[in-house]
Amino acid sequence: TPMADVANSDPDAADVWRKALQVNARFSPAYLGLGTVATKKGDYQEAVPLLREAIELDPAVEQAYRLLVDALLHQDQAEEALTVARQYTSRFPRSADSHYRVGRASSELGQYKEAKQSGEEAVRLDPNFTQAYFLLAAVCVRLGESDLARVHREKFAQLKEQDAEADRKQKKAYQDLST
């Protein structure tokens, strides 16, 4: 949510979100905000219950699923991450990111065929999804599909360079505006 983005960039964001919860204990953006702050600090143990609560209160917030899957993977809870990622995909079937998260969790569990299928669905939905190509390259190596892995690695490198160029242009445009 836009409000979450603004408050999460503030150093005192956690205090703002805690105050919001004092006013309304069922305010989903506050749980998402606190979960985001905890994630940015690398405190995944703190983030997980906050993000679960955000999803329970408002299952339509895609960012909460994304952050929760990542937090669970950082805690070596790949089985639970896969369960959440599947819920994410069920809720948002046209989200390339949701399929990518299933792929990441599946890969962590050694389920490389499912990881490959999910990665392929992610790039079908978003042909410029850089990280999905990285995932596909890695799982294809694990599946012994070295030629396909090379193709995905090359596409990943190409997109990564395009992403870097877009970032450079955006930073330059911002600098030009601020001078």
Side-chain angles (χ1 to χ4, degrees), residues 6-42:
V6 169
N8 290 337
S9 64
D10 188 299
D12 300 318
D15 290 337
V16 171
W17 290 125
R18 282 189 207 93
K19 287 176 185 167
L21 287 175
Q22 289 172 355
V23 174
N24 179 357
R26 297 191 48 78
F27 187 54
S28 176
Y31 290 101
L32 176 60
L34 286 167
T36 302
V37 170
T39 299
K40 286 181 179 178
K41 290 188 315 189

mmCIF file of all heavy atoms in Angstrom, residues 6-42:
data_model
loop_
_atom_site.group_PDB
_atom_site.id
_atom_site.type_symbol
_atom_site.label_atom_id
_atom_site.label_comp_id
_atom_site.label_asym_id
_atom_site.label_seq_id
_atom_site.Cartn_x
_atom_site.Cartn_y
_atom_site.Cartn_z
ATOM 1 N N VAL A 6 5.535 4.564 2.316
ATOM 2 C CA VAL A 6 6.046 5.796 2.914
ATOM 3 C C VAL A 6 6.568 5.518 4.321
ATOM 4 O O VAL A 6 7.688 5.870 4.664
ATOM 5 C CB VAL A 6 4.938 6.880 2.955
ATOM 6 C CG1 VAL A 6 5.368 8.057 3.795
ATOM 7 C CG2 VAL A 6 4.591 7.319 1.549
ATOM 8 N N ALA A 7 5.760 4.858 5.124
ATOM 9 C CA ALA A 7 6.159 4.643 6.511
ATOM 10 C C ALA A 7 7.329 3.674 6.636
ATOM 11 O O ALA A 7 8.109 3.781 7.565
ATOM 12 C CB ALA A 7 4.980 4.137 7.330
ATOM 13 N N ASN A 8 7.477 2.741 5.722
ATOM 14 C CA ASN A 8 8.570 1.781 5.812
ATOM 15 C C ASN A 8 9.909 2.412 5.472
ATOM 16 O O ASN A 8 10.946 1.863 5.790
ATOM 17 C CB ASN A 8 8.312 0.575 4.914
ATOM 18 C CG ASN A 8 7.177 -0.267 5.442
ATOM 19 O OD1 ASN A 8 6.869 -0.233 6.621
ATOM 20 N ND2 ASN A 8 6.533 -0.998 4.564
ATOM 21 N N SER A 9 9.901 3.560 4.809
ATOM 22 C CA SER A 9 11.154 4.215 4.468
ATOM 23 C C SER A 9 11.621 5.119 5.605
ATOM 24 O O SER A 9 12.740 5.594 5.600
ATOM 25 C CB SER A 9 10.994 5.012 3.169
ATOM 26 O OG SER A 9 10.052 6.048 3.365
ATOM 27 N N ASP A 10 10.782 5.354 6.573
ATOM 28 C CA ASP A 10 11.099 6.207 7.702
ATOM 29 C C ASP A 10 11.790 5.393 8.796
ATOM 30 O O ASP A 10 11.360 4.286 9.101
ATOM 31 C CB ASP A 10 9.785 6.799 8.248
ATOM 32 C CG ASP A 10 10.027 7.838 9.304
ATOM 33 O OD1 ASP A 10 10.613 7.496 10.343
ATOM 34 O OD2 ASP A 10 9.618 8.987 9.089
ATOM 35 N N PRO A 11 12.866 5.952 9.401
ATOM 36 C CA PRO A 11 13.564 5.202 10.452
ATOM 37 C C PRO A 11 12.671 4.874 11.649
ATOM 38 O O PRO A 11 12.899 3.895 12.353
ATOM 39 C CB PRO A 11 14.708 6.133 10.878
ATOM 40 C CG PRO A 11 14.721 7.271 9.932
ATOM 41 C CD PRO A 11 13.480 7.224 9.108
ATOM 42 N N ASP A 12 11.658 5.669 11.864
ATOM 43 C CA ASP A 12 10.760 5.431 12.999
ATOM 44 C C ASP A 12 9.494 4.690 12.586
ATOM 45 O O ASP A 12 8.480 4.743 13.276
ATOM 46 C CB ASP A 12 10.383 6.765 13.649
ATOM 47 C CG ASP A 12 11.599 7.513 14.159
ATOM 48 O OD1 ASP A 12 12.486 6.864 14.736
ATOM 49 O OD2 ASP A 12 11.661 8.739 13.953
ATOM 50 N N ALA A 13 9.567 3.983 11.461
ATOM 51 C CA ALA A 13 8.382 3.318 10.912
ATOM 52 C C ALA A 13 7.743 2.364 11.907
ATOM 53 O O ALA A 13 6.521 2.334 12.043
ATOM 54 C CB ALA A 13 8.749 2.571 9.632
ATOM 55 N N ALA A 14 8.555 1.581 12.609
ATOM 56 C CA ALA A 14 7.995 0.606 13.552
ATOM 57 C C ALA A 14 7.156 1.308 14.618
ATOM 58 O O ALA A 14 6.072 0.816 14.978
ATOM 59 C CB ALA A 14 9.103 -0.221 14.186
ATOM 60 N N ASP A 15 7.606 2.464 15.099
ATOM 61 C CA ASP A 15 6.830 3.202 16.102
ATOM 62 C C ASP A 15 5.499 3.682 15.531
ATOM 63 O O ASP A 15 4.466 3.605 16.195
ATOM 64 C CB ASP A 15 7.623 4.407 16.618
ATOM 65 C CG ASP A 15 8.813 4.001 17.470
ATOM 66 O OD1 ASP A 15 8.807 2.872 18.023
ATOM 67 O OD2 ASP A 15 9.754 4.808 17.578
ATOM 68 N N VAL A 16 5.539 4.144 14.288
ATOM 69 C CA VAL A 16 4.315 4.605 13.629
ATOM 70 C C VAL A 16 3.317 3.453 13.534
ATOM 71 O O VAL A 16 2.134 3.611 13.855
ATOM 72 C CB VAL A 16 4.629 5.172 12.223
ATOM 73 C CG1 VAL A 16 3.356 5.452 11.435
ATOM 74 C CG2 VAL A 16 5.495 6.420 12.336
ATOM 75 N N TRP A 17 3.802 2.279 13.112
ATOM 76 C CA TRP A 17 2.908 1.129 12.949
ATOM 77 C C TRP A 17 2.386 0.623 14.291
ATOM 78 O O TRP A 17 1.221 0.230 14.400
ATOM 79 C CB TRP A 17 3.601 0.014 12.176
ATOM 80 C CG TRP A 17 3.827 0.353 10.742
ATOM 81 C CD1 TRP A 17 5.006 0.338 10.057
ATOM 82 C CD2 TRP A 17 2.836 0.775 9.789
ATOM 83 N NE1 TRP A 17 4.817 0.720 8.757
ATOM 84 C CE2 TRP A 17 3.490 0.991 8.567
ATOM 85 C CE3 TRP A 17 1.473 0.985 9.860
ATOM 86 C CZ2 TRP A 17 2.824 1.404 7.417
ATOM 87 C CZ3 TRP A 17 0.802 1.399 8.721
ATOM 88 C CH2 TRP A 17 1.476 1.605 7.529
ATOM 89 N N ARG A 18 3.234 0.640 15.314
ATOM 90 C CA ARG A 18 2.761 0.211 16.643
ATOM 91 C C ARG A 18 1.655 1.136 17.155
ATOM 92 O O ARG A 18 0.677 0.682 17.746
ATOM 93 C CB ARG A 18 3.925 0.155 17.635
ATOM 94 C CG ARG A 18 4.781 -1.068 17.462
ATOM 95 C CD ARG A 18 5.809 -1.228 18.614
ATOM 96 N NE ARG A 18 6.951 -1.952 18.118
ATOM 97 C CZ ARG A 18 8.061 -1.406 17.615
ATOM 98 N NH1 ARG A 18 8.216 -0.104 17.592
ATOM 99 N NH2 ARG A 18 9.034 -2.151 17.175
ATOM 100 N N LYS A 19 1.827 2.430 16.927
ATOM 101 C CA LYS A 19 0.782 3.392 17.330
ATOM 102 C C LYS A 19 -0.512 3.136 16.562
ATOM 103 O O LYS A 19 -1.598 3.222 17.131
ATOM 104 C CB LYS A 19 1.272 4.823 17.119
ATOM 105 C CG LYS A 19 2.306 5.243 18.136
ATOM 106 C CD LYS A 19 2.844 6.629 17.866
ATOM 107 C CE LYS A 19 3.971 6.941 18.840
ATOM 108 N NZ LYS A 19 4.727 8.123 18.453
ATOM 109 N N ALA A 20 -0.386 2.816 15.293
ATOM 110 C CA ALA A 20 -1.580 2.509 14.490
ATOM 111 C C ALA A 20 -2.310 1.302 15.064
ATOM 112 O O ALA A 20 -3.546 1.278 15.104
ATOM 113 C CB ALA A 20 -1.190 2.259 13.038
ATOM 114 N N LEU A 21 -1.552 0.305 15.538
ATOM 115 C CA LEU A 21 -2.183 -0.886 16.114
ATOM 116 C C LEU A 21 -2.840 -0.590 17.464
ATOM 117 O O LEU A 21 -3.800 -1.269 17.845
ATOM 118 C CB LEU A 21 -1.174 -2.024 16.250
ATOM 119 C CG LEU A 21 -0.776 -2.675 14.929
ATOM 120 C CD1 LEU A 21 0.315 -3.713 15.150
ATOM 121 C CD2 LEU A 21 -1.983 -3.298 14.249
ATOM 122 N N GLN A 22 -2.334 0.406 18.169
ATOM 123 C CA GLN A 22 -2.988 0.803 19.425
ATOM 124 C C GLN A 22 -4.369 1.395 19.137
ATOM 125 O O GLN A 22 -5.303 1.203 19.909
ATOM 126 C CB GLN A 22 -2.128 1.809 20.190
ATOM 127 C CG GLN A 22 -0.880 1.199 20.792
ATOM 128 C CD GLN A 22 0.059 2.236 21.369
ATOM 129 O OE1 GLN A 22 -0.159 3.444 21.248
ATOM 130 N NE2 GLN A 22 1.130 1.760 21.985
ATOM 131 N N VAL A 23 -4.484 2.061 18.005
ATOM 132 C CA VAL A 23 -5.763 2.653 17.607
ATOM 133 C C VAL A 23 -6.690 1.575 17.053
ATOM 134 O O VAL A 23 -7.879 1.552 17.361
ATOM 135 C CB VAL A 23 -5.541 3.767 16.558
ATOM 136 C CG1 VAL A 23 -6.865 4.279 16.021
ATOM 137 C CG2 VAL A 23 -4.722 4.895 17.150
ATOM 138 N N ASN A 24 -6.131 0.675 16.232
ATOM 139 C CA ASN A 24 -6.931 -0.380 15.608
ATOM 140 C C ASN A 24 -6.080 -1.650 15.507
ATOM 141 O O ASN A 24 -5.237 -1.762 14.619
ATOM 142 C CB ASN A 24 -7.404 0.066 14.225
ATOM 143 C CG ASN A 24 -8.229 -0.993 13.514
ATOM 144 O OD1 ASN A 24 -8.421 -2.102 14.020
ATOM 145 N ND2 ASN A 24 -8.710 -0.666 12.327
ATOM 146 N N ALA A 25 -6.309 -2.596 16.392
ATOM 147 C CA ALA A 25 -5.511 -3.825 16.455
ATOM 148 C C ALA A 25 -5.723 -4.732 15.245
ATOM 149 O O ALA A 25 -4.991 -5.701 15.072
ATOM 150 C CB ALA A 25 -5.831 -4.589 17.734
ATOM 151 N N ARG A 26 -6.705 -4.403 14.404
ATOM 152 C CA ARG A 26 -6.966 -5.226 13.219
ATOM 153 C C ARG A 26 -6.590 -4.484 11.931
ATOM 154 O O ARG A 26 -7.104 -4.786 10.862
ATOM 155 C CB ARG A 26 -8.431 -5.664 13.195
ATOM 156 C CG ARG A 26 -8.791 -6.542 14.395
ATOM 157 C CD ARG A 26 -10.135 -7.208 14.304
ATOM 158 N NE ARG A 26 -10.424 -7.876 13.055
ATOM 159 C CZ ARG A 26 -9.949 -9.083 12.674
ATOM 160 N NH1 ARG A 26 -9.138 -9.737 13.469
ATOM 161 N NH2 ARG A 26 -10.292 -9.607 11.512
ATOM 162 N N PHE A 27 -5.679 -3.542 12.030
ATOM 163 C CA PHE A 27 -5.255 -2.725 10.894
ATOM 164 C C PHE A 27 -4.143 -3.456 10.144
ATOM 165 O O PHE A 27 -2.965 -3.387 10.497
ATOM 166 C CB PHE A 27 -4.797 -1.356 11.396
ATOM 167 C CG PHE A 27 -4.486 -0.366 10.313
ATOM 168 C CD1 PHE A 27 -5.414 -0.064 9.315
ATOM 169 C CD2 PHE A 27 -3.268 0.290 10.296
ATOM 170 C CE1 PHE A 27 -5.129 0.867 8.332
ATOM 171 C CE2 PHE A 27 -2.972 1.217 9.314
ATOM 172 C CZ PHE A 27 -3.897 1.513 8.332
ATOM 173 N N SER A 28 -4.539 -4.178 9.099
ATOM 174 C CA SER A 28 -3.610 -5.016 8.345
ATOM 175 C C SER A 28 -2.369 -4.280 7.842
ATOM 176 O O SER A 28 -1.263 -4.823 7.935
ATOM 177 C CB SER A 28 -4.345 -5.674 7.172
ATOM 178 O OG SER A 28 -3.450 -6.412 6.384
ATOM 179 N N PRO A 29 -2.493 -3.060 7.299
ATOM 180 C CA PRO A 29 -1.274 -2.381 6.833
ATOM 181 C C PRO A 29 -0.217 -2.203 7.921
ATOM 182 O O PRO A 29 0.974 -2.174 7.623
ATOM 183 C CB PRO A 29 -1.787 -1.034 6.326
ATOM 184 C CG PRO A 29 -3.203 -1.310 5.927
ATOM 185 C CD PRO A 29 -3.698 -2.306 6.946
ATOM 186 N N ALA A 30 -0.633 -2.106 9.180
ATOM 187 C CA ALA A 30 0.346 -1.968 10.262
ATOM 188 C C ALA A 30 1.140 -3.261 10.440
ATOM 189 O O ALA A 30 2.361 -3.223 10.647
ATOM 190 C CB ALA A 30 -0.352 -1.585 11.568
ATOM 191 N N TYR A 31 0.469 -4.390 10.346
ATOM 192 C CA TYR A 31 1.190 -5.670 10.439
ATOM 193 C C TYR A 31 2.143 -5.841 9.259
ATOM 194 O O TYR A 31 3.280 -6.284 9.419
ATOM 195 C CB TYR A 31 0.212 -6.845 10.530
ATOM 196 C CG TYR A 31 -0.513 -6.895 11.849
ATOM 197 C CD1 TYR A 31 -1.813 -6.431 11.966
ATOM 198 C CD2 TYR A 31 0.131 -7.393 12.982
ATOM 199 C CE1 TYR A 31 -2.474 -6.460 13.188
ATOM 200 C CE2 TYR A 31 -0.526 -7.430 14.212
ATOM 201 C CZ TYR A 31 -1.822 -6.959 14.306
ATOM 202 O OH TYR A 31 -2.473 -6.986 15.511
ATOM 203 N N LEU A 32 1.664 -5.459 8.075
ATOM 204 C CA LEU A 32 2.524 -5.509 6.896
ATOM 205 C C LEU A 32 3.710 -4.565 7.077
ATOM 206 O O LEU A 32 4.856 -4.929 6.785
ATOM 207 C CB LEU A 32 1.742 -5.148 5.631
ATOM 208 C CG LEU A 32 2.557 -5.076 4.337
ATOM 209 C CD1 LEU A 32 3.211 -6.420 4.024
ATOM 210 C CD2 LEU A 32 1.672 -4.620 3.194
ATOM 211 N N GLY A 33 3.454 -3.373 7.564
ATOM 212 C CA GLY A 33 4.522 -2.406 7.794
ATOM 213 C C GLY A 33 5.550 -2.904 8.789
ATOM 214 O O GLY A 33 6.761 -2.822 8.554
ATOM 215 N N LEU A 34 5.077 -3.437 9.918
ATOM 216 C CA LEU A 34 6.001 -3.979 10.926
ATOM 217 C C LEU A 34 6.765 -5.180 10.379
ATOM 218 O O LEU A 34 7.960 -5.344 10.644
ATOM 219 C CB LEU A 34 5.246 -4.360 12.198
ATOM 220 C CG LEU A 34 4.792 -3.193 13.072
ATOM 221 C CD1 LEU A 34 3.795 -3.670 14.125
ATOM 222 C CD2 LEU A 34 5.991 -2.510 13.720
ATOM 223 N N GLY A 35 6.079 -6.015 9.606
ATOM 224 C CA GLY A 35 6.744 -7.170 8.993
ATOM 225 C C GLY A 35 7.799 -6.741 7.993
ATOM 226 O O GLY A 35 8.881 -7.334 7.903
ATOM 227 N N THR A 36 7.508 -5.684 7.249
ATOM 228 C CA THR A 36 8.468 -5.153 6.286
ATOM 229 C C THR A 36 9.688 -4.583 7.001
ATOM 230 O O THR A 36 10.828 -4.833 6.602
ATOM 231 C CB THR A 36 7.804 -4.071 5.402
ATOM 232 O OG1 THR A 36 6.688 -4.657 4.740
ATOM 233 C CG2 THR A 36 8.767 -3.506 4.384
ATOM 234 N N VAL A 37 9.458 -3.824 8.063
ATOM 235 C CA VAL A 37 10.567 -3.259 8.846
ATOM 236 C C VAL A 37 11.435 -4.384 9.403
ATOM 237 O O VAL A 37 12.669 -4.346 9.298
ATOM 238 C CB VAL A 37 10.036 -2.354 9.984
ATOM 239 C CG1 VAL A 37 11.152 -1.970 10.950
ATOM 240 C CG2 VAL A 37 9.378 -1.105 9.407
ATOM 241 N N ALA A 38 10.810 -5.408 9.971
ATOM 242 C CA ALA A 38 11.565 -6.540 10.524
ATOM 243 C C ALA A 38 12.364 -7.248 9.433
ATOM 244 O O ALA A 38 13.527 -7.615 9.643
ATOM 245 C CB ALA A 38 10.614 -7.517 11.219
ATOM 246 N N THR A 39 11.761 -7.420 8.262
ATOM 247 C CA THR A 39 12.449 -8.064 7.138
ATOM 248 C C THR A 39 13.660 -7.250 6.718
ATOM 249 O O THR A 39 14.742 -7.805 6.497
ATOM 250 C CB THR A 39 11.478 -8.244 5.954
ATOM 251 O OG1 THR A 39 10.393 -9.081 6.374
ATOM 252 C CG2 THR A 39 12.155 -8.886 4.765
ATOM 253 N N LYS A 40 13.482 -5.940 6.604
ATOM 254 C CA LYS A 40 14.602 -5.074 6.209
ATOM 255 C C LYS A 40 15.735 -5.120 7.226
ATOM 256 O O LYS A 40 16.893 -4.958 6.853
ATOM 257 C CB LYS A 40 14.118 -3.637 6.009
ATOM 258 C CG LYS A 40 13.317 -3.458 4.738
ATOM 259 C CD LYS A 40 12.866 -2.027 4.545
ATOM 260 C CE LYS A 40 12.095 -1.890 3.259
ATOM 261 N NZ LYS A 40 11.595 -0.537 3.043
ATOM 262 N N LYS A 41 15.404 -5.351 8.491
ATOM 263 C CA LYS A 41 16.434 -5.477 9.530
ATOM 264 C C LYS A 41 17.056 -6.880 9.527
ATOM 265 O O LYS A 41 18.014 -7.125 10.251
ATOM 266 C CB LYS A 41 15.843 -5.227 10.921
ATOM 267 C CG LYS A 41 15.447 -3.810 11.198
ATOM 268 C CD LYS A 41 15.048 -3.590 12.662
ATOM 269 C CE LYS A 41 14.137 -4.668 13.190
ATOM 270 N NZ LYS A 41 13.552 -4.397 14.509
ATOM 271 N N GLY A 42 16.466 -7.802 8.780
ATOM 272 C CA GLY A 42 16.945 -9.184 8.773
ATOM 273 C C GLY A 42 16.413 -9.991 9.944
ATOM 274 O O GLY A 42 16.902 -11.076 10.225
#
